[in-house]
Amino acid sequence: MTIPGQNLINRKKAGIMRVHELAKKINVPSKKLIDGLRQLGVDIKSHMSVLSEDTIQMVLTAMNDEKKKISEPVKAKPVKETKISPVTKAIPKVSKKEPLKKTETEEQITEDISEKKEILKETAKKEEIKEKKNVLKISGDYIIVSELANKLNKEPSEVIKKLIDFGVMAAINQRIDMDTAGTIAAEYGFEIESAPLFGEEIIVKEEKEDPAKLKHRAPIVTIMGHVDHGKTKLLDAIRKTNVVDQESGGITQHIGAYHVKSDKGTIVFLDTPGHEAFTAMRARGAKVTDIVILVVAADDGVMPQTKEAIDHAKAANVPIIVAINKIDKKEANPMRVKQQLSDYGLSPEDWGGKTIFVEVSALMKKGISELLDMILLQAEMLELKANPDRPAKGTIIEASMDKKRGVIATVLIQQGTLHVGDPFISGHCFGKVKAMVDDWGKRLKEAGPSTPVQIMGISELPQAGDLFYVVNDEKTARQIGIKRREMDRERGLGEKGHIKLGEVFSKIQQGDMKGLNIVIKADVQGSIEALQGSLEQLSTPKVKLNVIHSGVGAITESDVLLASASNAIIIGFTVRPEPKVNDLAVREGIDIRLYRIIYDIIDDVRKAMVGLLDPKFKEVVSGRAEIREVFRIPKGNIAGVYITDGKVTRSSFVRLLRDNVVVFEGTISSLKRFKEDAKEVSAGYECGLGLENYNDIKQGDILEFYVKETVAQEL
């Protein structure tokens, strides 16, 4: 294993250095130095290329010669007087009375040319008409099958048959991506073009930026890689915080945007989840990023999500910097990682390639400074600039609902400056920025390019990945938002109604085909989108899976009624139903499944679809309690609770709910009535209760107690 910094020491001993090191020494931009070296005939591949001692000496000599030329005074050369000879004699005189006559041959040629021009114009017009007839304009990244059939003037069943021929299993109400839609449209002689959303022509004004107004901005860096390869831990080491403890099972399940300041510059990091279910979220990260940090564990090597991350970065044409993490482990083998990545076109510069490799240890905080240097060096080569003196434009990274503050959206500003009070539009959502905070929770009055902020004042939950624009006034934003919402409602009215009434379900029952309908509720919009896309991909010719409804927030009575009407199951991701909702679900016979880790959902649904569910533990809620007082003692916090329903036992498992969102799940450390230990406390009584290794309890929090029983799962 190579020692970090050893290569640099060896190069200094040999009297050689890299291009960027020499550029820093002589105070010249790396790009300018590369151009100069190429003019001198030196073969340079990138800013990481190694320069020999002779080449360095040649550069220094050339610079000294250039300085001498600049310092020498320039002598003006005497200008010789030259006589200007008249040219009027050389120009033949043309009489005004005798115009030039055309011969018969010239007249015929002129007539033929004019006739051909008219024929070409008519042909061009006909071709334009044909092209206009054969072009379908579609807004957005997806289209519903029934809507595509309507645009093609074909029956939905015919389009579905075409999709099956191409190996795509999609129902009438399911959405397909633009590539698939383009393939089907081509079969009927149509082409698909991306149409702007309503009002976009008002919002987006494509104007050439004045180069004088452009200023350097911070690079936006996306951290990608496989599950458990240390992406979030690496970001912790950079931010000097502890983000990873806040994630369920140590797995990142939302996009986080972080602003990191160092002595050499500012960098914005996007931390994307590594699990395959979050492909859509990772793809969004690659669209807004300037540089990708591909984290690969030195002891694990290239894994499936590593390959996926490489594909996304290459598709977005984004430069990749490889961070080989966990080099402190005994099993670490960075050389094997380099060999594996070279098969995917990522060759280290030491091997003659163009990819920067940095060996780091997030746990021991080794190589972090070198990684930041490489990021800023790559950003310098990209020459990232933006105009801060214009209305703000950005991208929605994430959105969630807060009970006290309402809708909160994380926005990454890409151009212009966002101010408190600015009216904006994003998709069919609109509003006015009431408050704005950065990733550290600090309130801001304005935010410039490459700044991630959380904003409040938006009308409803926007879709993650939607573009965010500042408009002239709130009235314009409202008009565009309302019109877009009406168009979306009209587009999806029929499709959603079909599945609620069971029309799609009856079609699924034809032959031996079976259908599984699902209602999804989650805490944030990004999780819903990723989960919905992953579950829809599980559909097979024998078992059809439909997500009939999805939404943000707690599971409600209307969700249960919808599931009852369409014979569906309900999946809750980090949200909980209220007690009256549970009672309604029992009466209606609706199965509610609650999860905190997304790939558990996918695994369970996949097993259920093929009938391979093994007997496992089932949670049985035994009681609920409300925290009415918090007592602080040297050993930690004790909750003074009132048992509102059922009972609590010393061996019960417990989860802490705050605004119907799970914030803790574990065991009970102590249970007492007055000063005596208690084995069990029933409803209507008060008791003191401690949570194992958890002290962040507040008045008004709800405790839910449950036991685990081994039963065979049924769907």
Side-chain angles (χ1 to χ4, degrees), residues 11 154 322 559 636:
R11 290 200 305 273
K154 301 291 179 183
V322 178
D559 297 326

Side-chain angles (χ1 to χ4, degrees), residues 594-609:
L594 306 173
Y595 298 88
R596 295 199 66 196
I597 298 177
I598 194 167
Y599 54 76
D600 287 346
I601 303 173
I602 297 166
D603 290 343
D604 283 358
V605 172
R606 185 186 290 113
K607 289 175 183 177
M609 291 175 71

Side-chain angles (χ1 to χ4, degrees), residues 217-219 259-268 375-376 450:
R217 65 170 178 83
H259 207 246
V260 176
K261 291 182 179 179
S262 67
D263 297 335
K264 298 178 182 179
T266 304
I267 304 171
V268 175
I375 294 170
L376 293 170
S450 297

Side-chain angles (χ1 to χ4, degrees), residues 333-352:
N333 190 351
M335 190 60 66
R336 181 171 64 93
V337 174
K338 291 180 181 180
Q339 289 172 347
Q340 290 176 336
L341 289 174
S342 63
D343 295 337
Y344 296 95
L346 301 179
S347 297
E349 290 175 327
D350 296 342
W351 296 2

